[in-house]
Every structure is written in structure tokens, then in C-alpha cells.
Coordinates of all heavy atoms in Angstrom, one line a residue:
M223 N 8.2 -9.2 11.9 CA 7.5 -10.3 11.3 C 7.6 -11.6 12.2 O 8.7 -12.0 12.5 CB 8.0 -10.6 9.9 CG 7.8 -9.5 8.9 SD 8.4 -9.9 7.3 CE 8.0 -8.4 6.5
A224 N 6.5 -12.2 12.5 CA 6.5 -13.3 13.4 C 6.8 -14.6 12.7 O 7.1 -15.6 13.3 CB 5.2 -13.4 14.1
E225 N 6.7 -14.6 11.4 CA 7.0 -15.8 10.6 C 8.4 -16.2 10.7 O 9.3 -15.3 10.8 CB 6.5 -15.6 9.2 CG 5.1 -15.2 9.0 CD 4.2 -16.3 8.5 OE1 4.8 -17.3 8.0 OE2 3.0 -16.1 8.5
P226 N 8.7 -17.5 10.6 CA 10.2 -17.9 10.5 C 10.8 -17.3 9.2 O 10.1 -17.0 8.2 CB 10.1 -19.4 10.3 CG 8.7 -19.8 10.7 CD 7.8 -18.6 10.5
T227 N 12.0 -17.0 9.4 CA 12.7 -16.3 8.2 C 13.7 -17.3 7.6 O 14.1 -18.3 8.2 CB 13.5 -15.0 8.7 OG1 14.4 -15.4 9.7 CG2 12.5 -14.0 9.2
R228 N 14.1 -16.9 6.4 CA 15.1 -17.7 5.7 C 16.0 -16.7 5.0 O 15.5 -15.7 4.5 CB 14.4 -18.7 4.8 CG 15.4 -19.6 4.0 CD 14.7 -20.6 3.2 NE 15.7 -21.4 2.5 CZ 15.4 -22.1 1.4 NH1 14.2 -22.2 1.0 NH2 16.4 -22.7 0.8
K229 N 17.2 -17.0 4.8 CA 18.1 -16.2 4.1 C 18.0 -16.4 2.6 O 18.0 -17.5 2.1 CB 19.6 -16.4 4.5 CG 20.6 -15.4 4.1 CD 21.9 -15.6 4.8 CE 22.7 -14.3 4.6 NZ 23.8 -14.3 5.5
Y230 N 18.0 -15.2 1.8 CA 17.9 -15.3 0.4 C 19.0 -14.4 -0.2 O 19.4 -13.4 0.4 CB 16.5 -14.8 -0.1 CG 15.4 -15.7 0.3 CD1 14.7 -15.4 1.5 CD2 15.0 -16.8 -0.4 CE1 13.7 -16.2 1.9 CE2 14.0 -17.6 0.0 CZ 13.3 -17.3 1.2 OH 12.3 -18.1 1.6
S231 N 19.3 -14.6 -1.4 CA 20.2 -13.8 -2.1 C 19.5 -13.1 -3.2 O 18.8 -13.8 -4.0 CB 21.4 -14.6 -2.7 OG 22.2 -13.8 -3.5
I232 N 19.5 -11.8 -3.3 CA 18.8 -11.0 -4.3 C 19.8 -10.1 -5.0 O 20.8 -9.8 -4.5 CB 17.6 -10.2 -3.8 CG1 18.1 -9.2 -2.8 CG2 16.6 -11.1 -3.1 CD1 17.0 -8.2 -2.4
T233 N 19.4 -9.7 -6.2 CA 20.2 -8.8 -7.0 C 19.4 -7.5 -7.3 O 18.2 -7.7 -7.6 CB 20.6 -9.4 -8.3 OG1 21.3 -10.7 -8.0 CG2 21.5 -8.5 -9.1
M234 N 20.0 -6.4 -7.0 CA 19.3 -5.1 -7.4 C 20.3 -4.1 -7.7 O 21.5 -4.2 -7.4 CB 18.4 -4.6 -6.2 CG 19.2 -4.2 -5.0 SD 18.2 -3.5 -3.6 CE 17.5 -5.0 -2.9
P235 N 19.9 -3.0 -8.4 CA 20.8 -2.0 -8.8 C 21.5 -1.4 -7.6 O 20.8 -1.2 -6.5 CB 19.9 -1.0 -9.5 CG 18.8 -1.8 -10.0 CD 18.5 -2.8 -9.0
R236 N 22.7 -1.0 -7.7 CA 23.5 -0.5 -6.6 C 22.9 0.8 -6.0 O 22.9 1.0 -4.8 CB 24.9 -0.1 -7.0 CG 25.8 -1.4 -7.3 CD 27.2 -1.0 -7.6 NE 27.9 -2.2 -8.0 CZ 29.0 -2.2 -8.7 NH1 29.5 -1.1 -9.1 NH2 29.6 -3.3 -9.0
D237 N 22.3 1.7 -6.9 CA 21.8 2.9 -6.3 C 20.5 2.7 -5.5 O 20.3 3.3 -4.5 CB 21.5 3.9 -7.4 CG 20.5 3.4 -8.5 OD1 20.4 2.2 -8.7 OD2 19.9 4.3 -9.2
I238 N 19.7 1.7 -5.9 CA 18.6 1.3 -5.1 C 19.0 0.7 -3.8 O 18.4 1.0 -2.7 CB 17.6 0.4 -5.9 CG1 17.0 1.2 -7.1 CG2 16.5 -0.2 -5.0 CD1 16.2 0.3 -8.1
A239 N 19.9 -0.2 -3.8 CA 20.4 -0.8 -2.6 C 21.0 0.2 -1.7 O 20.7 0.1 -0.4 CB 21.5 -1.9 -3.0
A240 N 21.7 1.2 -2.2 CA 22.3 2.2 -1.3 C 21.2 3.1 -0.7 O 21.3 3.4 0.5 CB 23.3 3.1 -2.1
A241 N 20.2 3.4 -1.5 CA 19.1 4.2 -0.9 C 18.3 3.4 0.1 O 18.0 4.0 1.2 CB 18.2 4.7 -2.0
A242 N 18.1 2.2 -0.1 CA 17.4 1.3 0.8 C 18.2 1.2 2.1 O 17.6 1.2 3.2 CB 17.1 0.0 0.2
R243 N 19.5 0.9 2.0 CA 20.3 0.8 3.2 C 20.3 2.1 4.0 O 20.3 2.0 5.2 CB 21.7 0.4 2.7 CG 22.6 -0.1 3.9 CD 24.0 -0.6 3.4 NE 23.9 -1.7 2.5 CZ 23.8 -3.0 2.9 NH1 23.7 -3.3 4.2 NH2 23.8 -3.9 2.0
A244 N 20.4 3.2 3.3 CA 20.4 4.5 4.0 C 19.1 4.8 4.7 O 19.1 5.4 5.8 CB 20.7 5.6 3.0
R245 N 18.0 4.2 4.2 CA 16.7 4.5 4.8 C 16.3 3.4 5.8 O 15.3 3.6 6.5 CB 15.6 4.6 3.7 CG 15.8 5.9 2.9 CD 14.9 5.9 1.7 NE 15.1 7.0 0.9 CZ 14.3 8.0 0.7 NH1 13.1 7.9 1.3 NH2 14.6 9.0 -0.1
S246 N 16.9 2.3 5.8 CA 16.5 1.1 6.6 C 16.5 1.3 8.1 O 15.8 0.7 8.8 CB 17.3 -0.1 6.2 OG 18.6 0.0 6.5
G247 N 17.4 2.2 8.5 CA 17.5 2.5 9.9 C 17.9 1.3 10.8 O 18.5 0.3 10.3
P248 N 17.6 1.3 12.1 CA 18.0 0.2 12.9 C 17.4 -1.1 12.6 O 18.0 -2.1 13.0 CB 17.6 0.7 14.3 CG 16.7 1.9 14.1 CD 16.8 2.4 12.7
S249 N 16.3 -1.2 12.0 CA 15.7 -2.5 11.7 C 16.5 -3.3 10.6 O 16.4 -4.5 10.5 CB 14.3 -2.3 11.2 OG 14.2 -1.6 10.0
G250 N 17.3 -2.5 9.8 CA 18.2 -3.2 8.9 C 17.6 -3.3 7.5 O 16.4 -3.2 7.3
L251 N 18.5 -3.6 6.6 CA 18.1 -3.7 5.1 C 17.1 -4.9 4.9 O 16.1 -4.7 4.2 CB 19.3 -3.9 4.3 CG 19.1 -4.0 2.8 CD1 18.4 -2.7 2.2 CD2 20.4 -4.2 2.0
S252 N 17.3 -6.0 5.6 CA 16.4 -7.2 5.3 C 15.0 -6.8 5.7 O 14.1 -7.1 5.0 CB 16.9 -8.4 6.2 OG 18.1 -8.8 5.6
S253 N 14.8 -6.2 6.9 CA 13.4 -5.8 7.3 C 12.8 -4.8 6.3 O 11.6 -4.9 6.0 CB 13.5 -5.2 8.7 OG 13.8 -6.2 9.6
Y254 N 13.7 -3.9 5.9 CA 13.2 -2.8 4.9 C 12.7 -3.5 3.6 O 11.6 -3.2 3.1 CB 14.3 -1.8 4.7 CG 13.9 -0.6 3.9 CD1 13.3 0.5 4.6 CD2 14.1 -0.5 2.5 CE1 13.0 1.6 3.9 CE2 13.7 0.6 1.9 CZ 13.2 1.7 2.5 OH 12.8 2.8 1.8
V255 N 13.5 -4.4 3.1 CA 13.2 -5.0 1.8 C 12.0 -6.0 2.0 O 11.1 -6.0 1.2 CB 14.4 -5.8 1.3 CG1 14.0 -6.7 0.1 CG2 15.5 -4.9 0.9
A256 N 11.9 -6.7 3.1 CA 10.8 -7.5 3.4 C 9.5 -6.7 3.5 O 8.4 -7.2 2.9 CB 11.0 -8.3 4.7
A257 N 9.5 -5.6 4.1 CA 8.3 -4.7 4.2 C 7.9 -4.2 2.8 O 6.7 -4.1 2.4 CB 8.6 -3.6 5.1
A258 N 8.9 -3.8 2.0 CA 8.6 -3.4 0.6 C 8.0 -4.4 -0.2 O 7.1 -4.2 -1.0 CB 9.9 -2.8 0.0
V259 N 8.5 -5.7 -0.1 CA 8.0 -6.8 -0.9 C 6.6 -7.1 -0.4 O 5.7 -7.3 -1.2 CB 8.9 -8.0 -0.8 CG1 8.2 -9.2 -1.4 CG2 10.2 -7.7 -1.5
A260 N 6.3 -7.0 0.9 CA 5.0 -7.3 1.4 C 4.0 -6.2 0.9 O 2.9 -6.6 0.5 CB 5.0 -7.2 3.0
R261 N 4.4 -5.0 0.8 CA 3.5 -3.9 0.3 C 3.2 -4.2 -1.2 O 2.1 -4.0 -1.7 CB 4.2 -2.5 0.4 CG 4.0 -1.9 1.8 CD 4.4 -0.5 1.9 NE 5.7 -0.2 1.4 CZ 6.8 -0.3 2.2 NH1 6.7 -0.7 3.4 NH2 8.0 0.0 1.7
Q262 N 4.2 -4.6 -2.0 CA 4.0 -4.9 -3.4 C 3.1 -6.1 -3.6 O 2.2 -6.0 -4.5 CB 5.4 -5.2 -4.1 CG 5.2 -5.4 -5.6 CD 4.7 -4.1 -6.3 OE1 5.2 -3.0 -6.0 NE2 3.7 -4.3 -7.1
I263 N 3.2 -7.1 -2.7 CA 2.2 -8.2 -2.8 C 0.8 -7.7 -2.5 O -0.1 -8.1 -3.2 CB 2.7 -9.3 -1.8 CG1 4.0 -10.0 -2.3 CG2 1.6 -10.4 -1.7 CD1 4.6 -10.9 -1.4
E264 N 0.7 -6.9 -1.5 CA -0.7 -6.3 -1.2 C -1.2 -5.5 -2.5 O -2.4 -5.7 -2.8 CB -0.6 -5.4 0.0 CG -0.4 -6.1 1.3 CD -0.2 -5.1 2.4 OE1 -0.1 -3.9 2.2 OE2 -0.2 -5.6 3.6
R265 N -0.4 -4.8 -3.1 CA -0.8 -4.0 -4.3 C -1.2 -5.0 -5.4 O -2.1 -4.7 -6.1 CB 0.3 -3.1 -4.7 CG 0.5 -1.9 -3.9 CD 1.6 -1.0 -4.4 NE 1.8 0.2 -3.5 CZ 2.7 1.1 -3.7 NH1 3.5 1.0 -4.7 NH2 2.7 2.1 -2.9
D266 N -0.4 -6.0 -5.6 CA -0.7 -7.0 -6.7 C -2.0 -7.6 -6.4 O -2.8 -7.8 -7.3 CB 0.5 -8.0 -6.8 CG 1.8 -7.4 -7.3 OD1 1.8 -6.3 -7.8 OD2 2.8 -8.1 -7.1
D267 N -2.2 -8.0 -5.1 CA -3.5 -8.6 -4.8 C -4.7 -7.7 -5.0 O -5.7 -8.1 -5.5 CB -3.5 -9.1 -3.3 CG -2.6 -10.3 -3.0 OD1 -2.2 -11.0 -4.0 OD2 -2.3 -10.5 -1.9
L268 N -4.5 -6.4 -4.6 CA -5.5 -5.4 -4.9 C -5.8 -5.2 -6.4 O -7.0 -5.2 -6.8 CB -5.2 -4.1 -4.2 CG -6.2 -3.0 -4.3 CD1 -7.5 -3.4 -3.8 CD2 -5.7 -1.7 -3.7
N269 N -4.8 -5.2 -7.2 CA -5.0 -5.0 -8.6 C -5.7 -6.2 -9.2 O -6.6 -6.1 -10.1 CB -3.6 -4.9 -9.3 CG -3.1 -3.5 -9.1 OD1 -3.8 -2.5 -9.0 ND2 -1.8 -3.3 -9.2
E270 N -5.4 -7.4 -8.7 CA -6.2 -8.6 -9.1 C -7.6 -8.5 -8.8 O -8.5 -8.8 -9.6 CB -5.6 -9.9 -8.5 CG -4.2 -10.2 -9.1 CD -3.5 -11.4 -8.4 OE1 -4.2 -12.1 -7.6 OE2 -2.3 -11.6 -8.6
L271 N -7.9 -8.0 -7.6 CA -9.3 -7.9 -7.2 C -10.0 -6.8 -8.0 O -11.2 -7.0 -8.4 CB -9.4 -7.5 -5.7 CG -9.1 -8.5 -4.7 CD1 -9.0 -7.9 -3.3 CD2 -10.1 -9.6 -4.7
I272 N -9.3 -5.7 -8.3 CA -9.9 -4.7 -9.2 C -10.2 -5.2 -10.5 O -11.3 -5.0 -11.1 CB -9.0 -3.5 -9.2 CG1 -8.9 -2.8 -7.9 CG2 -9.4 -2.5 -10.3 CD1 -7.8 -1.7 -7.8
Q273 N -9.3 -6.0 -11.1 CA -9.5 -6.6 -12.4 C -10.8 -7.5 -12.4 O -11.6 -7.5 -13.4 CB -8.3 -7.3 -12.9 CG -7.1 -6.4 -13.3 CD -5.9 -7.2 -13.6 OE1 -5.8 -8.4 -13.5 NE2 -4.9 -6.5 -14.0
V274 N -10.9 -8.3 -11.4 CA -12.1 -9.2 -11.3 C -13.3 -8.4 -11.2 O -14.3 -8.7 -11.9 CB -11.9 -10.2 -10.1 CG1 -13.2 -10.9 -9.8 CG2 -10.8 -11.2 -10.4
A275 N -13.3 -7.4 -10.3 CA -14.5 -6.6 -10.1 C -14.9 -5.8 -11.4 O -16.1 -5.7 -11.8 CB -14.3 -5.6 -9.0
E276 N -13.9 -5.3 -12.1 CA -14.2 -4.5 -13.3 C -14.7 -5.5 -14.4 O -15.5 -5.1 -15.2 CB -13.0 -3.7 -13.7 CG -12.7 -2.5 -12.9 CD -11.6 -1.6 -13.4 OE1 -10.8 -2.1 -14.2 OE2 -11.6 -0.4 -13.0
A277 N -14.2 -6.7 -14.5 CA -14.6 -7.6 -15.5 C -16.1 -8.0 -15.2 O -16.9 -8.2 -16.2 CB -13.8 -8.9 -15.4
E278 N -16.5 -8.0 -14.0 CA -17.9 -8.4 -13.6 C -18.8 -7.2 -13.7 O -19.9 -7.3 -14.1 CB -17.9 -9.0 -12.2 CG -19.3 -9.5 -11.8 CD -19.2 -10.2 -10.5 OE1 -18.2 -10.8 -10.1 OE2 -20.3 -10.3 -9.9
H279 N -18.3 -6.0 -13.2 CA -19.2 -4.8 -13.1 C -18.9 -3.6 -14.0 O -19.6 -2.7 -14.0 CB -19.2 -4.3 -11.7 CG -19.6 -5.4 -10.7 ND1 -20.9 -5.9 -10.5 CD2 -18.8 -6.1 -9.8 CE1 -20.9 -6.8 -9.6 NE2 -19.6 -7.0 -9.1
G280 N -17.8 -3.7 -14.7 CA -17.4 -2.6 -15.6 C -16.4 -1.7 -14.8 O -16.4 -1.8 -13.5
P281 N -15.7 -0.8 -15.5 CA -14.8 0.0 -14.8 C -15.5 1.1 -13.9 O -16.6 1.5 -14.2 CB -14.0 0.7 -15.9 CG -14.9 0.5 -17.1 CD -15.7 -0.7 -16.9
V282 N -14.8 1.5 -12.9 CA -15.3 2.6 -12.0 C -15.0 3.9 -12.7 O -13.9 4.2 -13.3 CB -14.5 2.6 -10.7 CG1 -15.0 3.7 -9.8 CG2 -14.7 1.2 -10.0
T283 N -16.0 4.8 -12.7 CA -15.9 6.1 -13.4 C -15.1 7.1 -12.5 O -15.1 6.9 -11.3 CB -17.2 6.7 -13.8 OG1 -17.9 7.0 -12.5 CG2 -18.1 5.7 -14.6
E284 N -14.6 8.1 -13.1 CA -13.9 9.2 -12.4 C -14.9 9.9 -11.4 O -14.5 10.2 -10.3 CB -13.3 10.2 -13.3 CG -12.0 9.7 -14.0 CD -10.9 9.4 -13.1 OE1 -10.7 10.1 -12.1 OE2 -10.2 8.4 -13.3
Q285 N -16.1 10.0 -11.9 CA -17.1 10.6 -11.0 C -17.3 9.8 -9.7 O -17.4 10.3 -8.6 CB -18.4 10.8 -11.7 CG -19.5 11.5 -10.9 CD -20.8 11.7 -11.7 OE1 -20.9 11.4 -12.8 NE2 -21.8 12.4 -11.0
E286 N -17.4 8.5 -9.9 CA -17.6 7.6 -8.7 C -16.4 7.7 -7.8 O -16.6 7.7 -6.6 CB -17.8 6.2 -9.2 CG -19.1 5.9 -9.9 CD -19.2 4.5 -10.5 OE1 -18.2 4.1 -11.2 OE2 -20.2 3.9 -10.4
I287 N -15.2 7.8 -8.4 CA -14.0 7.9 -7.5 C -14.0 9.2 -6.8 O -13.7 9.3 -5.6 CB -12.7 7.8 -8.4 CG1 -12.6 6.3 -8.9 CG2 -11.5 8.2 -7.6 CD1 -11.5 6.2 -10.0
D288 N -14.3 10.3 -7.5 CA -14.4 11.6 -6.8 C -15.4 11.6 -5.7 O -15.2 12.2 -4.6 CB -14.7 12.7 -7.8 CG -13.5 13.0 -8.8 OD1 -12.4 12.6 -8.5 OD2 -13.8 13.5 -9.9
T289 N -16.6 11.0 -5.9 CA -17.6 11.0 -4.9 C -17.1 10.2 -3.7 O -17.3 10.7 -2.5 CB -18.9 10.3 -5.5 OG1 -19.4 11.1 -6.5 CG2 -20.0 10.2 -4.4
L290 N -16.5 9.1 -3.9 CA -16.0 8.3 -2.8 C -14.9 9.0 -2.0 O -14.8 9.0 -0.8 CB -15.5 6.9 -3.3 CG -16.7 6.0 -3.7 CD1 -16.1 4.8 -4.4 CD2 -17.6 5.6 -2.5
R291 N -14.0 9.7 -2.8 CA -12.9 10.5 -2.1 C -13.5 11.6 -1.2 O -13.1 11.8 -0.1 CB -12.0 11.1 -3.2 CG -11.0 10.2 -3.7 CD -10.0 10.9 -4.5 NE -9.0 10.0 -5.0 CZ -8.6 9.9 -6.3 NH1 -9.0 10.7 -7.2 NH2 -7.7 9.0 -6.7
Q292 N -14.6 12.2 -1.7 CA -15.2 13.3 -0.9 C -15.9 12.7 0.3 O -15.7 13.3 1.4 CB -16.3 14.0 -1.8 CG -16.9 15.2 -1.1 CD -16.0 16.3 -0.6 OE1 -15.0 16.5 -1.3 NE2 -16.2 16.9 0.5
Q293 N -16.5 11.5 0.2 CA -17.1 10.9 1.3 C -16.0 10.5 2.4 O -16.2 10.7 3.6 CB -17.9 9.6 0.9 CG -19.2 10.0 0.2 CD -19.8 8.7 -0.4 OE1 -19.4 7.6 -0.2 NE2 -21.0 8.9 -1.1
L294 N -14.9 10.0 1.9 CA -13.8 9.7 2.8 C -13.3 10.9 3.5 O -13.0 10.9 4.7 CB -12.7 9.0 2.0 CG -11.5 8.5 2.8 CD1 -11.8 7.5 3.9 CD2 -10.4 7.9 1.9
H295 N -13.1 12.0 2.7 CA -12.6 13.2 3.3 C -13.5 13.7 4.4 O -13.1 14.1 5.5 CB -12.4 14.3 2.2 CG -12.0 15.6 2.7 ND1 -10.8 15.9 3.2 CD2 -12.7 16.8 2.8 CE1 -10.7 17.1 3.6 NE2 -11.9 17.7 3.4
E296 N -14.8 13.7 4.1 CA -15.8 14.1 5.1 C -15.8 13.2 6.4 O -15.9 13.7 7.5 CB -17.2 14.2 4.5 CG -17.4 15.2 3.4 CD -18.6 15.1 2.6 OE1 -19.4 14.2 2.8 OE2 -18.8 15.9 1.7
A297 N -15.7 11.9 6.2 CA -15.7 11.0 7.3 C -14.5 11.2 8.2 O -14.5 11.2 9.4 CB -15.7 9.6 6.8
R298 N -13.3 11.5 7.5 CA -12.1 11.8 8.3 C -12.2 13.1 9.1 O -11.8 13.2 10.2 CB -10.9 11.8 7.4 CG -10.4 10.4 6.9 CD -9.2 10.5 6.0 NE -8.8 9.2 5.6 CZ -8.0 9.0 4.6 NH1 -7.6 10.0 3.8 NH2 -7.6 7.7 4.3
A299 N -12.8 14.1 8.5 CA -13.0 15.3 9.1 C -13.9 15.2 10.3 O -13.7 15.7 11.4 CB -13.6 16.4 8.2
R300 N -15.0 14.4 10.2 CA -15.9 14.1 11.3 C -15.2 13.4 12.4 O -15.3 13.7 13.6 CB -17.1 13.3 10.9 CG -18.2 14.2 10.2 CD -19.5 13.4 10.0 NE -19.4 12.1 9.3 CZ -19.4 12.0 8.0 NH1 -19.5 13.0 7.2 NH2 -19.3 10.8 7.5
Q301 N -14.4 12.4 12.0 CA -13.7 11.6 13.0 C -12.7 12.5 13.8 O -12.5 12.4 15.0 CB -12.9 10.5 12.3 CG -12.3 9.5 13.2 CD -11.6 8.4 12.5 OE1 -11.1 8.6 11.4 NE2 -11.6 7.2 13.1
S302 N -12.0 13.4 13.1 CA -11.1 14.2 13.7 C -11.8 15.2 14.7 O -11.3 15.5 15.8 CB -10.3 15.0 12.6 OG -9.4 15.9 13.2
A303 N -12.9 15.7 14.2 CA -13.7 16.6 15.1 C -14.2 15.9 16.3 O -14.1 16.4 17.4 CB -14.9 17.2 14.3
D304 N -14.7 14.7 16.2 CA -15.1 13.9 17.3 C -14.0 13.6 18.3 O -14.2 13.7 19.5 CB -15.7 12.6 16.8 CG -17.1 12.7 16.1 OD1 -17.6 13.8 16.1 OD2 -17.5 11.8 15.4
A305 N -12.8 13.3 17.8 CA -11.7 13.1 18.6 C -11.3 14.3 19.4 O -10.9 14.2 20.6 CB -10.5 12.5 17.8
S306 N -11.4 15.5 18.7 CA -11.0 16.7 19.4 C -12.0 17.0 20.5 O -11.6 17.5 21.6 CB -11.0 17.9 18.4 OG -10.0 17.7 17.4
E307 N -13.3 16.8 20.3 CA -14.3 17.0 21.3 C -14.2 16.1 22.5 O -14.4 16.5 23.6 CB -15.7 16.9 20.7 CG -16.1 18.0 19.7 CD -17.4 17.7 19.0 OE1 -18.1 16.8 19.4 OE2 -17.7 18.4 18.1
A308 N -13.7 14.9 22.2 CA -13.6 13.9 23.3 C -12.4 14.2 24.2 O -12.3 13.8 25.3 CB -13.5 12.5 22.7
A309 N -11.4 14.9 23.7 CA -10.2 15.2 24.4 C -10.3 16.3 25.4 O -11.1 16.9 25.9 CB -9.1 15.5 23.5

């Protein structure tokens, strides 16, 4: 993270802290926790966008989600095939 840092004191359950410390690797617990918080902020922001969009346009149906997932799967397959041909 290129931003200036500041030291904070947080409280969390011991088992979660132990698991985080075990997984943090050489970057350390602070970096691991900062990355986790950044991901949560992204999720919160995305949920807010979804709520605004659904309020304006209505909820997305399961059929629409399935169609978009299939399109994504097909695009990834094409991309993978194109990369293999280029190599």
C-alpha cells in the first residue's frame, strides 16, 4: 500500500487472530488485515451500488444471472483458447 500508514489498536477473537497470523506470511499480520478490510470495503461499496440499481430498476432475476454467468464462461473460454493459439 502506497498510502501513509498509521498504527491502530483493534480487538478480535483469539482464534481469528491466530488464523490470520498463521496465514499472513512474510507480509505480516498488519498487511493481511489491511487487505481484508480493503476487500470488505469493496464489497460494501458494491452492495450499495446494487441496492441503488435495484431500487431504480428492480431486482435482477436468477435467469438474468445465469445468462450473464454463461456469457462470462464463454468469454473466458474464448480468451483462454486465443491465448493458447498465440503461444
Side-chain angles (χ1 to χ4, degrees):
M223 296 186 179
E225 303 253 349
T227 61
R228 183 173 176 199
K229 193 170 193 162
Y230 296 92
S231 174
I232 63 169
T233 303
M234 69 175 77
R236 287 182 187 162
D237 58 337
I238 293 173
R243 193 176 298 278
R245 293 172 185 244
S246 62
S249 63
L251 182 60
S252 291
S253 293
Y254 189 85
V255 170
V259 171
R261 280 191 306 275
Q262 185 62 48
I263 290 169
E264 289 173 352
R265 288 179 177 181
D266 293 345
D267 289 346
L268 181 57
N269 284 333
E270 289 173 13
L271 288 172
I272 290 169
Q273 289 174 354
V274 168
E276 286 186 341
E278 186 173 334
H279 304 287
V282 179
T283 67
E284 286 298 319
Q285 182 179 1
E286 291 170 318
I287 291 170
D288 290 341
T289 299
L290 291 171
R291 279 190 180 132
Q292 183 62 33
Q293 289 173 1
L294 180 60
H295 176 73
E296 291 168 1
R298 285 180 176 160
R300 281 192 305 274
Q301 186 179 35
S302 179
D304 290 347
S306 295
E307 289 175 9

